[in-house]
Amino acid sequence: MSEKEDLAKQKAEAAAKAKAEALARKQAKAESAEKPEGEMDLAKQKAEAAAKAKAEALARKQAKAESAEKPEGEMDIAKQKAEAAAKAKAAALARKRAKEEAAEKPEGEMDIAKQKAEAAAKAKAAALARKRAKEEAAEKPEGEMDIAKQKAAAAAKAKAAAAAAKNRTVKESEEVNTPSELSPNQSKLDQIVSAIESHVGQGALLEHYINRLSKDVPTLLANPDTYFSIAKYLRYDEQLNFSYLSELHGTDFETHMEIYVHLHSFKMNQSVALKVKLDRDSPVIPSLVPLWSGANWPECEAYDLLGINFYEHPDLKRILLGEDWKGYPLRKDYQPYDVEV
């Protein structure tokens, strides 16, 4: 078909379409003059729907006629353009409807609708991102996927570590900058330390402090060589008189062993903790049984479970395990002799 014939055909179709629309409007006007308002609206809607349907049918007919004449490549492009136009038209119509509905809705309903729309948009974006990630992963070889996964995991781990370090720094800063209140037991700790240094010696204690995590108990860290002398002084001094041993136990700190003794003075109405650090390979310390008979079984227990040797103990033996038991179960490096037991 020549270009002139094409143009003439389009003009004829346009003229026919215009004539049909003018006739439809004339008929609708004539009918509306005779009908009441309710029927007029209904008739108007029907006329519009009929005109729209007629226009769509004509457009489809034209598209079909043009597609028959076009090669395959042009048809695909035309199809894509038509689909894009249809989508744009639908989106515009949806926006127009949403705007009209929003104008009619109260503020509360508008907020809810807006939230729903935002949530739907987010969900759609997330789904699209997942789809893209899946497509990219499908295109990558296994080695690259593993590397990408490792990088992502490393980045997440580094981020978490940085956040933890930041929180820890802030916490430490707060602790350093927060002035600590004087413990109510500080004066008693000073009294006990002064008495020990005067009677036992200046180097008898390696350290002394208030244990804030244990009800502000005054805590004494003894030199292993002066451990028994300090305990004896605490027991028999008339002013101190720590006559009651309430607790004794051992602990494996991997780098060393430690004995913890909790004493109480009814005269002072005060408790004190006596500690001593021992060599882990050969933990040996004098027994406190000659000073407090209540130390008998706790020292046997520490010997039984940790292998700490209390010399001059009257009857040091295993009280929970048999004498033929191999090893000490409360040591951090304990390995059962018989793994099936």
Side-chain angles (χ1 to χ4, degrees):
M1 185 183 291
S2 67
E3 189 176 341
K4 286 183 180 181
E5 289 176 348
D6 231 1
L7 187 61
K9 186 178 179 182
Q10 288 174 7
K11 284 182 179 180
E13 287 174 349
K17 186 178 177 182
K19 191 174 179 181
E21 287 176 354
L23 183 61
R25 283 197 297 272
K26 186 178 178 182
Q27 288 175 353
K29 193 173 180 181
E31 289 173 0
S32 65
E34 300 169 1
K35 290 180 181 178
E37 190 176 350
E39 290 183 14
M40 280 173 67
D41 289 342
L42 186 60
K44 190 176 180 181
Q45 290 171 6
K46 285 182 179 179
E48 287 176 354
K52 190 176 178 182
K54 190 172 181 180
E56 287 176 355
L58 184 60
R60 284 197 298 272
K61 186 177 179 183
Q62 287 175 350
K64 194 173 180 181
E66 288 172 3
S67 67
E69 296 170 5
K70 287 180 182 177
E72 189 174 350
E74 291 182 14
M75 283 174 66
D76 289 341
I77 294 167
K79 189 175 180 182
Q80 289 171 6
K81 285 182 179 178
E83 288 176 352
K87 282 183 182 177
K89 191 175 179 181
L93 184 60
R95 284 196 297 273
K96 185 179 177 183
R97 286 179 182 169
K99 195 172 180 181
E100 290 172 355
E101 290 173 0
E104 295 171 4
K105 286 180 181 177
E107 190 175 350
E109 289 185 16
M110 283 174 67
D111 289 341
I112 294 168
K114 191 175 180 181
Q115 289 171 7
K116 285 183 179 178
E118 287 175 354
K122 283 181 182 177
K124 191 173 180 180
L128 183 61
R130 285 196 298 272
K131 186 179 179 184
R132 284 178 182 169
K134 195 172 180 182
E135 288 171 355
E136 288 173 3
E139 293 171 4
K140 287 181 181 178
E142 189 175 350
E144 288 184 18
M145 284 174 65
D146 290 341
I147 292 167
K149 192 174 181 182
Q150 288 170 8
K151 284 182 179 178
K157 192 175 180 181
K159 191 174 180 181
K166 186 179 178 182
N167 292 337
R168 186 166 58 251
T169 303
V170 171
K171 189 176 180 182
E172 288 173 357
S173 175
E174 289 174 354
E175 288 175 355
V176 169
N177 295 330
T178 304
S180 58
E181 296 179 2
L182 194 65
S183 169
N185 292 330
Q186 185 63 50
S187 60
K188 291 185 178 179
L189 173 62
D190 294 340
Q191 177 189 348
I192 295 167
V193 170
S194 177
I196 289 172
E197 289 179 345
S198 297
H199 291 83
V200 182
Q202 288 292 327
L205 292 172
L206 297 177
E207 190 181 355
H208 54 84
Y209 56 91
I210 296 292
N211 190 342
R212 297 281 187 176
L213 300 178
S214 182
K215 300 180 181 179
D216 281 22
V217 173
T219 303
L220 311 170
L221 180 61
N223 188 316
D225 296 333
T226 57
Y227 167 71
F228 186 81
S229 300
I230 293 170
K232 186 176 181 180
Y233 180 74
L234 292 172
R235 172 69 179 85
Y236 292 115
D237 180 74
E238 291 183 1
Q239 297 299 320
L240 302 180
N241 193 23
F242 285 91
S243 58
Y244 179 59
L245 184 148
S246 62
E247 184 179 353
L248 185 152
H249 66 258
T251 306
D252 180 10
F253 284 93
E254 295 188 275
T255 56
H256 64 277
M257 293 286 184
E258 187 173 283
I259 295 294
Y260 176 96
V261 183
H262 195 275
L263 306 170
H264 187 77
S265 170
F266 293 100
K267 187 172 184 177
M268 293 180 67
N269 190 26
Q270 179 62 46
S271 295
V272 69
L274 176 63
K275 298 166 68 175
V276 61
K277 294 181 179 181
L278 307 175
D279 179 49
R280 193 172 184 275
D281 295 329
S282 56
V284 180
I285 199 72
S287 171
L288 298 184
V289 175
L291 306 177
W292 293 278
S293 59
N296 191 334
W297 281 76
E299 287 183 350
C300 286
E301 183 181 41
Y303 165 72
D304 191 7
L305 301 177
L306 289 162
I308 299 173
N309 189 11
F310 297 88
Y311 64 84
E312 294 187 7
H313 188 284
D315 186 21
L316 193 62
K317 60 184 178 182
R318 304 192 89 146
I319 58 174
L320 299 173
L321 307 171
E323 289 295 337
D324 58 345
W325 189 275
K326 306 293 182 182
Y328 305 99
L330 288 189
R331 287 200 175 209
K332 298 292 176 67
D333 57 356
Y334 172 71
Q335 294 291 333
Y337 178 71
D338 186 352
V339 294
E340 294 181 1
V341 175

